[in-house]
Every structure is written in structure tokens, then in C-alpha cells.
Amino acid sequence: MFDPAKRRGIRVAVLWENRTGQPLRDVTLRLEYKQAKNRAIRTADQQFSDLPAKGRWTNFDLSGGEYEDTVHIAAWRISVLSGSRVLGSKHSVMWSIK
């Protein structure tokens, strides 16, 4: 039977771009977000082995228990990493407020 509660969730869509003009290898797109309920910080990563020099959309789907724990995102930061090196990062205004 269809259970709507199990289908609830949050989709965070990120439009990002490789502006180097060169393909990138072994890149991680990281979403960090603060929960509205308890201000805990959670992290979600997506790995990409080869990226062409262009933009792309990537979705982070938070559902099930992860959604139930979060429900509302109070602040976020998105980072593009290559190994331990940060290639780029953006964050919401609320991210920097302590």
C-alpha cells in the first residue's frame, strides 16, 4: 500500500560549474546543513570520477529517517572538493551566524 509519510523528503538542487576549462577527476560535492530543530550539522557527499568543463545540476535527496530527523534546513554550505583541497564553496547567510 502507498504510504505518503514514507515518500516525504527534501530535495536540495545544486547548480554548479567547472570553470577551469579542463576536465576534473575525483571530485566530491559536499552538502553540509544545520537542522532547524537542534542545530546539528549533517553532511551528504556525492562523488564524481570525471567531470567535463561545464555546469551541471546535482540533487541531494533527504528522505526517510534522514528527513524525519531534519524536516527543515536552517542553514547550508555546499563545497566542491578535490582530495582535501576546496575548489569552491557557497553558503547561506545563516551559515555564518553562530
Side-chain angles (χ1 to χ4, degrees), residues 50-90:
D50 291 306
L51 288 173
K54 63 178 184 175
R56 67 178 302 141
W57 281 99
T58 300
N59 294 317
F60 288 92
D61 293 316
L62 311 176
S63 59
E66 194 169 42
Y67 168 72
E68 296 301 325
D69 286 347
T70 303
V71 183
H72 298 288
I73 294 175
W76 56 266
R77 176 171 58 190
I78 193 83
S79 303
V80 180
L81 309 156
S82 178
S84 62
R85 194 171 128 219
V86 177
L87 302 178
S89 181
K90 293 267 185 187

Side-chain angles (χ1 to χ4, degrees), residues 2-3 11 23 25 27 30 41 47 59 66 72 98:
F2 174 71
D3 183 358
R11 172 169 281 177
R25 305 211 188 303
V27 171
R30 175 168 293 154
I41 296 176
Q47 307 290 324
N59 294 317
E66 194 169 42
H72 298 288
K98 304 238 183 227

Side-chain angles (χ1 to χ4, degrees), residues 15-26:
L15 177 59
W16 56 296
E17 186 175 10
N18 172 5
R19 294 183 183 174
T20 65
Q22 303 293 321
L24 294 174
R25 305 211 188 303
D26 301 322

Side-chain angles (χ1 to χ4, degrees), residues 17-45:
E17 186 175 10
N18 172 5
R19 294 183 183 174
T20 65
Q22 303 293 321
L24 294 174
R25 305 211 188 303
D26 301 322
V27 171
T28 301
L29 184 64
R30 175 168 293 154
L31 169 66
E32 297 169 274
Y33 57 97
K34 292 180 184 177
Q35 297 172 282
K37 277 200 262 185
N38 60 13
R39 306 303 264 179
I41 296 176
R42 298 190 105 174
T43 302
D45 288 344

